[in-house]
Amino acid sequence: MEHIPLEEPVDLLTGLATTRAIRRYTAEPITDDDLAKIMFAATRAPTGSNRNHFRFVVLRTGEVAHQAKALLGESFRSSWATKRATDSYDDGSGEIDHSPKARMARTMNHFVDNFESTPVVVLPCIRKRHGGMGDGASIFPACQNLLLAARGLGYGGVLTMWHSPVETELRALCGIPDDHAIAAVIPLGRPQGGHGPVRRRPIQELVFDGYWGTTADWIVEPDGTRHTQAGPPPSRDG
Ligand SMILES: Cc1cc2nc3c(=O)[nH]c(=O)nc-3n(C[C@H](O)[C@H](O)[C@H](O)COP(=O)(O)O)c2cc1C
């Protein structure tokens, strides 16, 4: 089946600024051709010394995929329940039906409640060498390549970490050796909604000119840049 992208092709810089976390998918499968392109893009990412010590387990259909999605679904539901309470999603503006917080909570509910129906789930893995940032630096560029390629083909996904509670079982189920970390879980599918400009903090808060806290006056955000209030407030002393 030939896949017809839902959107016009996007140029690289536009794609970077408009690839959102997508958590709601239609039932449409990802074609072999498209998935091959997505995984090709992922595996073209850089690794330290070009060691290529990343591996990707792609879960689609079949018994192992079925069991892994079920295992992950349970883990995602309990992780979201914890986050929902810890981050007070049901308090304050969360009580107002159309507030961003309430909308996000509904998206999350839908995401975790339907996790087993996610068309494709990718487990990006990295052979453990240094631990922490050193290992992450060789797998997260590939994760972003993967998400951008998916977006370019009309799909969407989200990088998640909610596999931690079931990592041991997941590892056993999928035959992932102990010397490889499961860096994340990336569900993928056709978005029920759409991509669009992401919201981040104003760039002047994030980029400094030569010295911590010094505003970069030469930076002008493109028209239409959208902002969020999420994250720590600006600080000059770190
Ligand atoms: C390191 C990292 C961990 C994340 N973990 C989760 C997660 O466990 N569950 C989830 O639903 N989203 C997770 N996300 C997705 C972020 O919440 C999302 O990328 C962020 O809110 C920005 O969304 P936007 O690009 O749509 O604005 C994670 C993202 C990153 C980069």
Side-chain angles (χ1 to χ4, degrees):
M1 182 176 67
E2 192 188 351
H3 160 62
I4 300 163
L6 291 182
E7 303 171 37
E8 294 298 309
V10 282
D11 71 73
L12 183 56
L13 293 183
T14 303
L16 292 175
T18 60
T19 299
R20 290 182 178 160
I22 300 292
R23 297 184 177 87
R24 295 193 302 172
Y25 317 106
T26 70
E28 185 183 332
I30 302 181
T31 65
D32 286 3
D33 277 359
D34 285 346
L35 196 51
K37 286 177 187 155
I38 291 168
M39 296 317 301
F40 181 75
T43 57
R44 299 310 97 180
T47 51
S49 301
N50 203 16
R51 282 197 178 86
N52 289 241
H53 53 308
F54 46 22
R55 299 289 182 270
F56 303 85
V57 179
V58 181
L59 301 168
R60 308 177 71 188
T61 53
E63 191 49 31
V64 170
H66 182 73
Q67 286 185 34
K69 288 181 189 179
L71 186 64
L72 286 166
E74 288 301 318
S75 186
F76 274 49
R77 285 185 281 279
S78 75
S79 297
W80 162 236
T82 303
K83 183 176 173 62
R84 183 174 181 157
T86 311
D87 293 359
S88 308
Y89 268 86
D90 298 310
D91 303 331
S93 67
E95 293 179 296
I96 301 164
D97 199 38
H98 292 296
S99 67
K101 206 169 164 186
R103 283 207 308 269
M104 178 56 91
R106 282 198 293 275
T107 297
M108 285 296 195
N109 288 340
H110 184 280
F111 179 43
V112 301
D113 287 347
N114 294 279
F115 191 86
E116 284 83 343
S117 306
T118 308
V120 173
V121 175
V122 181
L123 309 180
C125 304
I126 185 77
R127 187 158 58 83
K128 294 182 223 170
R129 286 179 56 83
H130 310 291
M133 298 263 274
D135 291 342
S138 281
I139 186 66
F140 293 123
C143 295
Q144 188 65 5
N145 269 19
L146 190 159
L147 289 166
L148 290 168
R151 189 255 194 275
L153 293 166
Y155 301 100
V158 56
L159 187 144
T160 71
M161 295 293 201
W162 284 340
H163 62 292
S164 309
V166 295
E167 175 159 354
T168 305
E169 296 96 309
L170 187 62
R171 184 184 291 288
L173 188 58
C174 299
I176 299 169
D178 285 344
D179 61 349
H180 281 67
I182 305 174
V185 169
I186 304 183
L188 291 173
R190 273 276 201 224
Q192 278 189 20
H195 287 282
V198 299
R199 291 175 188 268
R200 303 289 182 253
R201 294 194 74 97
I203 193 169
Q204 284 77 13
E205 292 180 15
L206 307 176
V207 178
F208 302 137
D209 193 10
Y211 195 82
W212 186 273
T214 303
T215 303
D217 294 326
W218 40 269
I219 293 182
V220 179
E221 290 184 331
D223 287 346
T225 299
R226 301 168 74 182
H227 297 135
T228 178
Q229 294 187 332
S235 161
R236 285 182 172 263
D237 58 15

